[in-house]
Amino acid sequence: MSREDMHKLQGIRLKKTVAMVYNNCEPYRKRMQEKGVTPADIQSIADIAKLPFTSKKDLRDYYPYGLLSSPISDIVRIHASSGTTGKPIVAGYTRNDLDIWGEVGARCFTAYGLTKNDVIQVSYGYGLFTGGLGAHGAGETLGATVIPMSSGNTEKQIMLMHDLGAVALACTPSYALYLADAMADSKIPRNEFKLKVGAFGAEPWTEGMRKELEEKLGIKAYDIYGLTEIIGPGVGHECQFQNGTHLCEDHFYPEIVNPETGEPLPHGEVGELVFSTITKTGMPLLRFRTRDLTRLIYEPCECGRTSVRMDRILGRCDDMLIIRGVNVFPSQVETVICEIPELEPHYLLVVDRINNLDSFEVQVEVKEAFYSDEINKVMDLRKRITHRLQSVLGISPDVRLVEPRSIERSQGKAKRVIDKRKFK
Ligand code: ADP
Ligand code: ZN
């Protein structure tokens, strides 16, 4: 679809959505009235800038059902995201929304080259988290054979992946790493597995991590992006060229804004990703601030898809650590670690404040083959890592090399930061 046609379609859909939330959802109506905007002011997609933002805080304030635009009798599914403190964030989906979800999810799997003839193992957790049921619905909409494995029970995962001939594995990148080790331990030769494709998402991951996963699992590893408030996994997906995550912008209209001021940023700049759902009916959200940092790419993709792409998520605004005044994202550390051949991609950042000074430790596992008690070798490796991290981050961490398999593994979203300052 040409940009112009896409904008036309988005405008029509936005208009409908705005009228819907204005008529059916009190908080939206109030907020729009406060801003002096009526549905009549929204005539094209460019008018979106007139609308108020929605934030995670709004979802907490109107917990659990206050932001629904459909009666509860039309809501057929509830999901919730963990949130960091207190009440979770709850989302309600109508039949229409589940159909959209299946559709965008099936687009993802199709973009990875999967068809109805393939077996897909879903190892995202099933439950309130959108990962499991989201990937499940995507696979079924495609017509593929879905194994609703959920996370955990690793030995059985490997057995069924092998016995049922799973071609695709859908899970978090950190759980995929865990499963890669388990596959190696299982002693079943790699060529007896049919696995070719990974659908990895739900947490930030880097190009370095992609390389690790592709090598360890012998697959192509694709990004899938989504968030509970918007729909779940399927908001965006990579294609075979793996150069940006295509967003399903005919359903979810993206903007990039300055995370401090909310001002829209020019094309190509890094900022906070904002989505408006333009087809959902259960809990449509206008200009929802995701807290995710990335940039949008409007140039056409080699694959022929004309949808806008986003760059890798650098991290969440909330994940950004400020250590001795310097901004640090865990993904920057991951990039460095994945570049150093002696290291495993398992790491943990520990931040503390001691005598009014921030301490910053990076724990990282050394590969079995390089794990040595020769002091010189260890010192040399530590020095190299410290130096590289210092030049990328702008501050120097204490690097602690730890034994292979000693850092706690994750079966869902990895926890890579312990910030002890928060408890002081
Ligand atoms: P929670 O906020 O509890 O983690 P969700 O499960 O809804 O709830 O998570 C959505 C968030 O997960 C996104 O806003 C983003 O930060 C992260 N995420 C999801 N998919 C990806 C991805 N492919 N790359 C990077 N981050 C992702
Ligand atoms: Zn593409």
Side-chain angles (χ1 to χ4, degrees), residues 337 343-344 346-347 362-366 399-402 407:
I337 285 172
L343 300 180
E344 287 285 357
H346 293 285
Y347 62 95
V362 174
Q363 299 179 7
V364 56
E365 287 182 15
V366 180
V399 173
R400 209 172 115 204
L401 301 175
V402 300
I407 290 175

Side-chain angles (χ1 to χ4, degrees), residues 138-176:
E140 284 191 353
T141 304
L142 178 65
T145 308
V146 178
I147 314 173
M149 192 65 220
S150 196
S151 58
N153 215 341
T154 304
E155 263 172 47
K156 199 163 176 192
Q157 296 266 1
I158 303 302
M159 180 182 81
L160 290 183
M161 186 189 293
H162 171 263
D163 297 355
L164 302 179
V167 168
L169 170 67
C171 64
T172 59
S174 45
Y175 192 42

Side-chain angles (χ1 to χ4, degrees), residues 56 80-83 129-131 200-205 223-229 290 292 310 312-313 315-316 413:
K56 283 188 194 270
S81 85
S82 49
F129 171 49
T130 52
F200 301 144
E203 62 182 1
W205 55 308
D223 186 49
I224 181 165
Y225 170 83
L227 60 164
T228 314
E229 298 89 341
T290 64
D292 289 333
M310 68 171 188
R312 273 194 181 280
I313 303 278
R316 299 189 188 196
K413 299 190 189 222

Side-chain angles (χ1 to χ4, degrees), residues 238-244 246 301-305 309:
E238 276 182 328
C239 63
Q240 71 268 37
F241 292 96
Q242 298 180 314
N243 57 4
H246 287 274
C301 180
E302 274 180 273
C303 72
R305 284 177 189 78
R309 285 167 290 155

